[in-house]
Amino acid sequence: MIFSSPLVTGRLVQRYKRFLADIILDDGNPVTSSVPNTGSMLGLTDPGIRVWLSISDGLKRKYPHTLQLVETQGIMVGINTGLPNRIAEEAILSGLLPSLSSYAELRREQKYGSNSRIDILLRDPDRPDAYVEVKNVHFSRSAGLAEFPDSPTARGAKHLDELGNMVENGHRGVMLYVIQRGDCERLKICGDLDPVYAAAFERAMRRGVEAYAVKCHITPTGIAAISTMPIID
C-alpha cells in the first residue's frame, strides 16, 4: 500500500474528541488533523511524539491533514484503521497467506450476518466461501509482543460470533489481524483490557474460526505486509 502523495511531518500537541489532533508541523505551522482511528491509541498519543500526515486536496474537507503514522521509541506505527483492508487484500493476492490464496473471486464490504459487512469475501466454485474480517493492531506493552484490542470492542466480539455462525453454515470464517508496526513477532489477545472480546475469541476458535496475523513493514512512503506471526495464548 503506497501513500498517494508524500507525507508531512510534525509533533503531536494533543489528541481530542477521538477524531482530531493538534499538531505543529516541522515548518512551525500549527494544524488540526483528522485522526482515522476510533480506538484509544494507547501509548501512541504522548505530547511531542513525532507524526506523519497526509494532505488532501479536496476542497470540501474541513481538515485537509490526516494522521497516518506516529513514531514511538524509534518505531514507526500506522494508526489509520482505514488502511488494513487494503493491506490485507494485498497480502492475500501476493500469496503471503497460502490458505487464502488462489480464490477465483475477491469481493469487498459484503453484507452478512446481523446487519454487518464482511471486510473481504473470497469465493471459488471448488471450495467453501471464506469470510475474512480484518482488524488493525498497533498496541504493544512488551518487547516483540503486539496485543489486541487496546480498549473494549463490543463490535469486535460480535464479529467473532458471526464468523462462528458462518463456519457452522459450511463456510470459512477468518479473523485476520494486521499489525501496523515492525517491532513485534507475536500477537496476543488482550484479555485484561477486554475480557468479553477474549472470551469471544476463545469461543470462535472452538467453533472452527481461523485466525491469522501479519506483520507490516512501515515507511513514510507506504505500508506492506511482509510476514505472518503466531497468535499466542
Side-chain angles (χ1 to χ4, degrees), residues 47-99:
I49 199 169
R50 189 164 179 78
V51 298
W52 283 258
L53 307 100
S54 59
I55 305 176
S56 171
D57 56 5
L59 298 179
K60 294 183 179 181
R61 288 195 56 170
K62 183 177 181 180
Y63 304 106
H65 293 81
T66 299
L67 183 61
Q68 299 288 353
L69 309 173
V70 304
E71 181 180 311
T72 176
Q73 299 179 343
I75 302 299
M76 298 185 74
V77 181
I79 63 88
N80 187 339
T81 59
L83 298 182
N85 284 13
R86 292 169 57 188
I87 299 168
E89 182 175 329
E90 290 177 359
I92 292 169
L93 295 177
S94 72
L96 183 62
L97 298 157
S99 71

Side-chain angles (χ1 to χ4, degrees), residues 1 80-93 106-110 117-121 132-136 155 176-178 180:
M1 194 288 305
N80 187 339
T81 59
L83 298 182
N85 284 13
R86 292 169 57 188
I87 299 168
E89 182 175 329
E90 290 177 359
I92 292 169
L93 295 177
L106 184 152
R107 296 184 180 183
R108 307 178 185 96
E109 297 290 335
Q110 297 294 299
R117 287 183 178 271
I118 195 68
D119 293 316
I120 297 173
L121 174 59
V132 184
E133 181 70 31
V134 181
K135 294 300 182 188
N136 176 69
R155 185 167 174 262
L176 178 54
Y177 298 94
V178 175
Q180 283 203 78

